Amino acid sequence: PYYVDINQNLFLEAYLHSSDSNLELFVDTCVASPAPHNFTTVTYDILRNGCVRDSTYATYYSPYRHMVRFKFNAFQFIRNMPLVYLQCELVVCRAYDYSSRCYQGCITRSKREGSS
């Protein structure tokens, strides 16, 4: 566990350990939940499909393609749930493969039109 105060910046770093220097890391989705094993019922999206959902989220420079750095402000779920669990999905791609997920950025899915 990592203990922080509400609205305190929480800095994270992910690093891919691999002997292949041509791999790149991309943060696709980060979701917070008050329950450690349930990231579907009561959740808060920080990042979803590469799209920023929390205004306090920011990325930081990384000297390596296989390392990502980002931050967001710590928060608490309603009803005094004192713990927040974070689950992030990262994607590993070939460096400079511009057709890979790492280079697509934010993906917004278009809504379908309902039938009358």
Side-chain angles (χ1 to χ4, degrees):
Y2 188 71
Y3 298 96
V4 294
D5 293 325
I6 300 297
N7 292 326
Q8 179 181 345
N9 283 332
L10 185 60
F11 297 91
L12 293 101
E13 177 180 273
Y15 185 90
L16 175 64
H17 294 275
S18 173
S19 59
D20 188 343
S21 61
N22 289 317
L23 295 179
E24 188 164 346
L25 204 53
F26 175 74
V27 184
D28 182 75
T29 299
C30 280
V31 179
S33 170
H37 304 292
N38 184 348
F39 286 88
T40 56
T41 307
V42 178
T43 62
Y44 177 75
D45 287 354
I46 297 166
L47 193 72
R48 171 80 58 185
N49 298 320
C51 303
V52 176
R53 301 287 190 219
D54 183 293
S55 63
T56 66
Y57 177 88
T59 58
Y60 287 93
Y61 169 77
S62 170
Y64 309 106
R65 287 187 299 266
H66 55 274
M67 177 191 297
V68 290
R69 295 173 173 169
F70 58 97
K71 72 98 181 167
F72 61 93
N73 283 359
F75 64 93
Q76 182 175 344
F77 282 91
I78 57 173
R79 295 188 200 100
N80 293 324
M81 296 176 171
L83 300 177
V84 174
Y85 296 89
L86 184 66
Q87 182 179 60
C88 293
E89 295 176 17
L90 288 86
V91 179
V92 178
C93 305
R94 284 260 165 232
Y96 309 112
D97 177 359
Y98 298 106
S99 65
S100 72
R101 177 68 189 99
C102 294
Y103 289 90
Q104 293 173 359
C106 174
I107 296 178
T108 56
R109 291 183 169 46
S110 59
K111 294 181 180 177
R112 295 184 196 176
E113 186 177 320
S115 60
S116 54

